[in-house]
Amino acid sequence: MSNPYTFGDSERAENRLWQLAELYAPSSRAFLESVRALLGRAPSLACDLGCGPGYTTRLVHEVSGAAETLGLDASERFLGHAAGGVGVRFSVHDVTRTPFPCPPAGLIYVRFLLTHLTERPRVLRDWTAQLAPGGLLALEELDTMIGSVPALRRYYSIVEAMQRAHGQDLHVGRALPALAREAGVEVVRDQVARMTLPGHRMAMLHYLNIQTWRSDAFVSSHYSAVQLDALEAELRELAERPDPAVSVDYHMRQMVLAARA
Ligand SMILES: C[S@@+](CC[C@H](N)C(=O)[O-])C[C@H]1O[C@@H](n2cnc3c(N)ncnc32)[C@H](O)[C@@H]1O
């Protein structure tokens, strides 16, 4: 895989993705319902890129009404644990490479993946080229995330620096309009969903994640073990003690793209 995926595919990473899927399911469901309305009909094939253990894949399948939904991910381990079902299947594939191992799709869905990739305009262009005529590429990526307490803000600033060091973009949602222009693709819809997320649930996601990425070479050379231990402990405490005053102001960019006619 040409892009390093810094959040791992361990059992802990899988548990994090399950909790993340629960947290974002309502907003993603609403977005997918609006995309289904834009399509006007159920697609024959929907694809979920960077599908992880398949939580988003099953949501895409259910909401789009696709005859078949294919989840693609680079992690054999995640896909080994992904539960398919009627009309849902999975395939190991580096999605920065096209063609995908399937016919052109009526819907391609992508959540929290572009943030981890480097050649962003090129992949957007390549993905729209995998659409069937009239097909849509639906993306959900972070635009802005503001924690109400210092530990959350410190966590976000380290992740942002780590991703930048890898040529990635934590806030790629903000860049989506410019990326779409550079890719030369059509913007069908561009919106920002604003949510206030419970701090303890976000802290749990981050507590699980920091244990994976703290061994990243950039992180271990720029932050001391003492700093990282302290942040890990603070996140754990926030996760274990729900406090309504602790929250994250979260802006999710939701964009629908199509190939230029
Ligand atoms: C943050 S997770 C998001 C999972 C899912 N889309 C969701 O929103 O719950 C990113 C996923 O992208 C996968 N991934 C990262 N780079 C990839 C690549 N180049 N090709 C395919 N999958 C990739 C990772 O293995 C991981 O499962």
Side-chain angles (χ1 to χ4, degrees), residues 1 3 5 7 16-17 20-21 48-52 56 72-75 78 93-96 111-113 116-117:
M1 195 165 56
N3 296 266
Y5 177 61
F7 294 173
R16 187 185 81 91
L17 286 181
L20 177 142
D48 178 20
L49 310 187
C51 64
T56 40
L72 297 174
D73 201 281
S75 166
F78 279 159
H93 186 78
D94 175 352
V95 300
T96 64
R111 188 178 74 183
F112 300 138
L113 171 65
H116 296 289
L117 304 182

